[in-house]
Amino acid sequence: ESLLSAQQNAAIEDQSVTEAYFNEAGDLSTKAFNTPNSAQIAGGRTRGTVTIDIEGDTRFTGATVTLVTDEASTPLSPKGTITVDFGAGQTDSKGVVRKGKILVAYSGLRFVPNSTTVTTFEDYFVNGVQIEGTRTVTSTSLTASPSLTVTFTVQDEDGIATFPDETTITRNATHVHTITFGNTIGGTTWEVEGQASGKTRTATDYTFVINRALVFKTECAFSGFALPAEGEALFTVGTLPFIINYGDAGASCDNTATITFNSQSQDITVGN
């Protein structure tokens, strides 16, 4: 007999997908922000719009990435906007369909403490789920050895995920992200700590508190797996607490999670 009711299982899957989609949008924003070189940023100021090529990351398949610098931008205090435009719909190599725009307003030297990016969305959908809201990312630390590692504070405000049946999950979150850039395109990982809250698709209050850092891996995203590869969170729906274990240290990429409720556990598979 299933440990979870159909409604409980759906709430856990929906929250996991929503968490993954917001964090993927943040990762795409970071990738777009990190790609332009100094000449391109300067060119955006003198030539208007500059088109940016992002190689190797199949999630950008078919997207047009452009940069426009602000008139007040300077070499020591750059600012501008990067737009990732998937148009009417683009399908990547793993069958994930994205459409619409991700808008990234940046201010400050890349990854230097106190630099910021503000990500918003314009008719942006992933696999039919519309993502809305504002994500403000502020760099807090930067280390170059042994690998380039950047830590950010991340604030999600007025987040909404609207599913094809027009039901919604709302989301506000405060997180700390630590991104470690790998030597290969697929070698980057980012750890997420903090909490989120809002309402489920059935308008029930929820909290999502990360007990053990969620570890998202670019190699997993390239393989079509949106969920974190590792980590654990306490997901409370109304008054019912569920522990979600996405994987222990070193776990492989997959879309499964172990749910513990009333001291009993059950594995579930979360669709993309």
Side-chain angles (χ1 to χ4, degrees), residues 110-123:
R110 186 179 302 160
F111 300 148
V112 171
N114 297 319
S115 66
T116 63
T117 62
V118 179
T119 299
T120 54
F121 307 94
E122 184 177 308
D123 297 325

Side-chain angles (χ1 to χ4, degrees), residues 76-112:
L76 293 179
S77 183
K79 59 169 42 178
T81 301
I82 296 172
T83 301
V84 183
D85 187 356
F86 292 95
Q90 302 292 337
T91 304
D92 70 14
S93 62
K94 298 304 177 182
V96 178
V97 181
R98 301 175 183 86
K99 68 177 182 177
K101 298 178 181 179
I102 300 174
L103 309 175
V104 187
Y106 65 88
S107 177
L109 293 171
R110 186 179 302 160
F111 300 148
V112 171

Side-chain angles (χ1 to χ4, degrees), residues 145-207:
S145 180
S147 300
L148 177 60
T149 301
V150 188
T151 301
F152 310 89
T153 59
V154 179
Q155 190 79 35
D156 288 340
E157 297 179 288
D158 300 323
I160 303 174
T162 303
F163 290 77
D165 63 0
E166 298 188 354
T167 57
T168 62
I169 288 180
T170 62
R171 170 189 175 86
N172 288 282
T174 301
H175 286 149
V176 173
H177 287 204
T178 301
I179 300 181
T180 302
F181 292 90
N183 295 323
T184 62
I185 292 175
T188 296
T189 64
W190 66 103
E191 296 187 3
V192 179
E193 299 176 279
Q195 61 183 13
S197 63
K199 290 185 180 294
T200 68
R201 291 169 71 179
T202 58
T204 303
D205 290 332
Y206 76 84
T207 58

Side-chain angles (χ1 to χ4, degrees), residues 8-267:
Q8 292 167 346
N9 192 91
I12 293 168
E13 288 195 29
D14 293 342
Q15 164 58 25
S16 295
V17 167
T18 300
E19 185 80 18
Y21 284 175
F22 271 92
N23 281 297
E24 186 206 54
D27 184 44
L28 293 175
S29 300
T30 299
K31 181 71 173 181
F33 177 55
N34 192 41
T35 297
N37 58 41
S38 57
Q40 290 171 317
I41 291 175
R45 188 164 60 255
T46 58
R47 299 198 305 271
T49 301
V50 174
T51 300
I52 306 299
D53 293 325
I54 299 179
E55 300 179 352
D57 192 330
T58 58
R59 295 173 298 174
F60 288 91
T61 298
T64 300
V65 183
T66 55
L67 178 150
V68 178
T69 57
D70 190 276
E71 292 182 357
S73 181
T74 68
L76 293 179
S77 183
K79 59 169 42 178
T81 301
I82 296 172
T83 301
V84 183
D85 187 356
F86 292 95
Q90 302 292 337
T91 304
D92 70 14
S93 62
K94 298 304 177 182
V96 178
V97 181
R98 301 175 183 86
K99 68 177 182 177
K101 298 178 181 179
I102 300 174
L103 309 175
V104 187
Y106 65 88
S107 177
L109 293 171
R110 186 179 302 160
F111 300 148
V112 171
N114 297 319
S115 66
T116 63
T117 62
V118 179
T119 299
T120 54
F121 307 94
E122 184 177 308
D123 297 325
Y124 179 64
F125 291 77
V126 185
N127 289 339
V129 179
Q130 184 174 10
I131 301 299
E132 300 173 272
T134 300
R135 168 166 284 201
T136 302
V137 177
T138 303
S139 297
T140 57
S141 69
L142 171 67
T143 58
S145 180
S147 300
L148 177 60
T149 301
V150 188
T151 301
F152 310 89
T153 59
V154 179
Q155 190 79 35
D156 288 340
E157 297 179 288
D158 300 323
I160 303 174
T162 303
F163 290 77
D165 63 0
E166 298 188 354
T167 57
T168 62
I169 288 180
T170 62
R171 170 189 175 86
N172 288 282
T174 301
H175 286 149
V176 173
H177 287 204
T178 301
I179 300 181
T180 302
F181 292 90
N183 295 323
T184 62
I185 292 175
T188 296
T189 64
W190 66 103
E191 296 187 3
V192 179
E193 299 176 279
Q195 61 183 13
S197 63
K199 290 185 180 294
T200 68
R201 291 169 71 179
T202 58
T204 303
D205 290 332
Y206 76 84
T207 58
F208 185 84
V209 179
I210 298 172
N211 296 332
R212 177 164 51 86
L214 305 185
V215 180
F216 293 85
K217 300 180 180 181
T218 305
E219 65 172 302
C220 296
F222 288 0
S223 299
F225 298 111
L227 293 190
E230 306 171 17
E232 184 178 279
L234 175 63
F235 180 44
T236 303
V237 183
T239 60
L240 299 178
F242 303 90
I243 295 174
I244 308 176
N245 185 348
Y246 295 103
D248 296 327
S252 59
C253 303
D254 59 34
N255 272 357
T256 63
T258 300
I259 312 303
T260 301
F261 178 62
N262 281 342
S263 299
Q264 300 182 66
S265 297
Q266 176 180 322
D267 290 343

